[in-house]
Amino acid sequence: MQQKNFEILGGEPEVGSKPIKGWTIGVPVEAEAIKQLKNFSALPFVYSHVAVMPDVHVGKGATVGSVIATKGAIIPAAVGVDIGCGMAAQRLRFSSNALPESLGHLRAAIEAAVPHGRTDNGGKNDRGAFGKVNVFNHPSKAVREEAESLRKHLETITARHPKIKRAAERAWHHVGTLGTGNHFIELCLDETDQVWVMLHSGSRGIGNAIGTYFIAKAKEEMGRFFIHLPDKDLSYLPEGSRYYNDYIEAVTWAQRFAALNRSVMMHATLDAIHKTLGLPVDSDMEALSCHHNYISEEKHFGEKVLVTRKGAVNAHEGTMGIIPGSMGAKSFIVRGKGLRESFCSCSHGAGRVMSRTEAAKTFTLEDHIRDTSGVECRKDAAVLDETPKAYKNIDDVMAAQADLVEIVHTLKQFLCVKG
């Protein structure tokens, strides 16, 4: 008999609940995360089972590292507010021997080219973010055409949902901006010493507004139908209800916007590298891009379903993906194996082992400096919540999902820009 490659989390399911299958062997899973997952598994429209990736941890609204397939309803909080958050990566034609000994000026150039940190949403530091990129006058024709298409589509969405209009008006000032938290831009070396650019961000303020708005609408719908749930974040939009199609349309729009944002940031980063180092930044491969907070209409076990991946990546057979580690750790370019039991998914990173607040209290600046040795990055107390030991061991995470993906490239970062 073939050995089972997953474990059943939370024990055998109660009557009416679906199993929770976790690719979590050898990695820690919080009791609170299992509780959160059990709440979702009890919803009647959840299909087959809940799949859990090895980077699983408690999240706001839904468990990060979860894959939930549904029939007849969608849960806005399961997608969350960082809609379309994901990764992009590009391999360049030069290796480490073309790099200067000191990398501080290169990091400064990328930080100047890609606005990061807080914008006028949070007040402290806009770093010129607003008005820095005129996406409708971008050098790339493909970027310009996608931006114009998205602009027109957004107008139709806001006409029906005017409460997101203010965020929609500001959206075009967010294109090409990194944001805060765990968003980053990194330069890495692969196993052949080739240089890679890798970045992580999403749909910024407009995605947040869309997610927040429809999460509230789902909660209103539960009240309207007198549906009582153990957690309000389980609130859902039934298929055929007033907001179901509008939500799917808006989320799909935000996913496209997130991909556009990453494309513009990649262009700006490559331009900064070229201007700073005087090296050509053409690539020997097609750029990789993948979401890890999103919805997708897919077919699994013979049925058409809506798959919500919250902190998980598409790993259908042959599909390329990006799994970053923490600051100072390895990252991976992977190829999906298409394992059906996981709904053809894999982890989106290492996954936190403690909250941001706990990490900032637990680790010292000396810990952070030691653990990011050899990486040109911020080494100040403000990034302790993102220090490497706040995350799971990426090697353990990759070992737990060996049946989900094969490793194509192993990357080690040498420069990191944090939001």
Side-chain angles (χ1 to χ4, degrees):
M1 179 181 289
Q2 186 178 9
Q3 186 175 359
K4 189 166 64 174
N5 50 26
F6 58 84
E7 56 186 339
I8 300 296
L9 299 176
E12 290 301 316
E14 298 175 3
V15 175
S17 293
K18 303 297 192 299
I20 303 169
K21 300 181 180 181
W23 281 261
T24 51
I25 297 171
V27 295
V29 182
E30 311 147 286
E32 194 62 28
I34 293 176
K35 180 181 177 182
Q36 211 172 33
L37 290 162
K38 289 181 77 171
N39 283 339
F40 278 93
S41 72
L43 294 170
F45 51 83
V46 169
Y47 174 71
S48 180
H49 61 277
V50 174
V52 180
M53 302 300 104
D55 56 345
V56 59
H57 60 276
V58 171
K60 183 178 180 181
T63 320
V64 179
S66 62
V67 184
I68 301 171
T70 59
K71 288 191 62 139
I74 189 74
I75 313 162
V79 182
V81 298
D82 199 1
I83 300 170
C85 188
M87 300 289 304
Q90 187 81 59
R91 183 175 63 196
L92 306 182
R93 291 185 184 274
F94 58 87
S95 59
S96 65
N97 59 15
L99 297 170
E101 188 171 331
S102 175
L103 295 168
H105 66 301
L106 179 57
R107 176 162 71 96
I110 296 172
E111 289 174 339
V114 181
H116 57 288
R118 292 191 179 275
T119 65
D120 70 349
N121 286 323
K124 286 188 178 178
N125 175 23
D126 73 3
R127 288 187 178 266
F130 292 85
K132 192 173 186 75
V133 175
N134 182 349
V135 71
F136 302 106
N137 193 32
H138 197 271
S140 167
K141 181 181 178 183
V143 165
R144 294 195 306 271
E145 290 178 346
E146 176 68 350
E148 185 59 31
S149 173
L150 285 167
R151 183 190 64 78
K152 291 177 180 177
H153 193 175
L154 185 58
E155 288 176 355
T156 68
I157 293 172
T158 56
R160 296 194 302 273
H161 304 285
K163 283 194 174 180
I164 64 172
K165 188 172 183 179
R166 183 167 181 264
E169 291 170 348
R170 292 148 51 110
W172 306 108
H173 298 298
H174 281 166
V175 178
T177 67
L178 188 63
T180 59
N182 61 355
H183 294 165
F184 62 78
I185 301 170
E186 289 181 346
L187 301 190
C188 312
L189 296 175
D190 68 13
E191 65 285 345
T192 66
D193 202 42
Q194 290 294 110
V195 174
W196 288 68
V197 179
M198 185 169 68
L199 58 84
H200 172 210
S201 192
S203 54
R204 308 290 285 111
I206 182 61
N208 187 301
I210 288 170
T212 300
Y213 173 78
F214 281 101
I215 288 170
K217 290 302 179 188
K219 292 176 180 178
E220 289 176 12
E221 291 288 272
M222 297 298 95
R224 192 162 71 90
F225 290 111
F226 303 101
I227 296 172
H228 302 286
L229 299 164
D231 183 345
K232 287 186 178 180
D233 284 326
L234 301 172
S235 297
Y236 55 89
L237 298 172
E239 188 173 2
S241 64
R242 179 180 176 186
Y243 297 106
Y244 179 86
N245 287 332
D246 282 7
Y247 174 67
I248 291 175
E249 178 187 12
V251 168
T252 303
W253 181 94
Q255 290 168 192
R256 286 176 58 194
F257 183 85
L260 175 71
N261 183 37
R262 290 193 291 272
S263 177
V264 172
M265 277 193 291
M266 181 63 75
H267 187 278
T269 301
L270 294 176
D271 189 55
I273 294 170
H274 170 66
K275 288 178 178 176
T276 305
L277 302 183
L279 295 171
V281 289
D282 55 325
S283 178
D284 57 359
M285 59 166 274
E286 185 177 348
L288 300 178
S289 183
C290 60
H291 298 310
H292 52 228
N293 282 356
Y294 72 111
I295 64 172
S296 176
E297 293 183 348
E298 298 177 8
K299 189 173 184 179
H300 291 279
F301 306 107
E303 297 280 345
K304 289 183 178 179
V305 293
L306 264 178
V307 177
T308 297
R309 293 186 175 92
K310 169 84 167 183
V313 175
N314 177 4
H316 278 81
E317 186 174 4
T319 300
M320 301 297 290
I322 307 165
I323 303 176
S326 60
M327 295 173 72
K330 291 177 285 189
S331 298
F332 300 90
I333 306 298
V334 298
R335 183 182 292 112
K337 292 185 176 181
L339 188 72
R340 292 193 309 153
E341 291 287 339
S342 71
F343 295 113
C344 300
S345 306
C346 66
S347 85
H348 83 310
R352 301 191 71 91
V353 291
M354 62 181 70
S355 69
R356 294 184 181 280
T357 301
E358 187 181 356
K361 291 179 179 179
T362 302
F363 300 110
T364 66
L365 185 55
E366 289 71 25
D367 293 330
H368 178 69
I369 291 171
R370 182 188 64 248
D371 292 339
T372 57
S373 175
V375 181
E376 172 58 46
C377 64
R378 288 178 60 186
K379 301 184 191 277
D380 57 74
V383 294
L384 287 180
D385 60 341
E386 281 292 302
T387 200
K389 283 193 170 61
Y391 286 82
K392 298 179 185 181
N393 182 299
I394 190 64
D395 288 323
D396 293 342
V397 168
M398 296 307 294
Q401 60 184 339
D403 290 332
L404 308 184
V405 292
E406 63 173 307
I407 296 170
V408 179
H409 293 291
T410 300
L411 310 183
K412 180 64 174 71
Q413 68 266 54
F414 60 85
L415 184 152
C416 177
V417 171
K418 273 285 183 184

